[in-house]
Amino acid sequence: METYGGRRNQAERDAMTVEVGYALCSALFAAAVLFGAVAGPALLFELPGIVEKLLVRVGLTIAPVVFAARVVSVLVRFRRESRQPSQPGRTNPDS
């Protein structure tokens, strides 16, 4: 993204598409692992009613927060890295 607010070329659009896909997939994985770690014991073992309900609710509360935080962090990092040249002060090796 060389020009701010300008049109993006195909490579930049493809890079953004891949990054959004990565952000969504990694966030889904992180949220699922967290939910499994928190609510898994309640789903696998016979626990007292209040403990079982509490673990499931905590898992259902934390998983979307982790999902959103992961998506935002990946996309913010991508945006920050895409503005900086990969090798400042050096010419393109193809030129």
Side-chain angles (χ1 to χ4, degrees):
M1 291 184 257
E2 295 174 8
T3 59
Y4 182 77
R7 296 187 66 168
R8 295 184 176 107
N9 63 27
Q10 186 63 41
E12 291 169 338
R13 289 193 305 264
D14 290 346
M16 189 63 187
T17 301
V18 168
E19 199 66 25
V20 168
Y22 169 73
L24 292 174
C25 290
S26 67
L28 182 63
F29 179 75
V33 167
L34 182 79
F35 178 78
V38 173
L43 300 174
L44 292 175
F45 304 115
E46 191 66 33
L47 298 174
I50 188 74
V51 174
E52 188 173 317
K53 192 178 289 188
L54 179 68
L55 287 175
V56 171
R57 286 187 180 172
V58 168
L60 287 173
T61 303
I62 293 176
V65 172
V66 168
F67 180 87
R70 176 67 182 163
V71 168
V72 168
S73 69
V74 168
L75 294 180
V76 166
R77 183 191 64 204
F78 173 73
R79 183 178 173 120
R80 191 177 314 133
E81 289 176 357
S82 66
R83 281 189 269 152
Q84 299 173 355
S86 60
Q87 297 176 337
R90 299 183 79 185
T91 60
N92 189 352
D94 295 333
S95 59

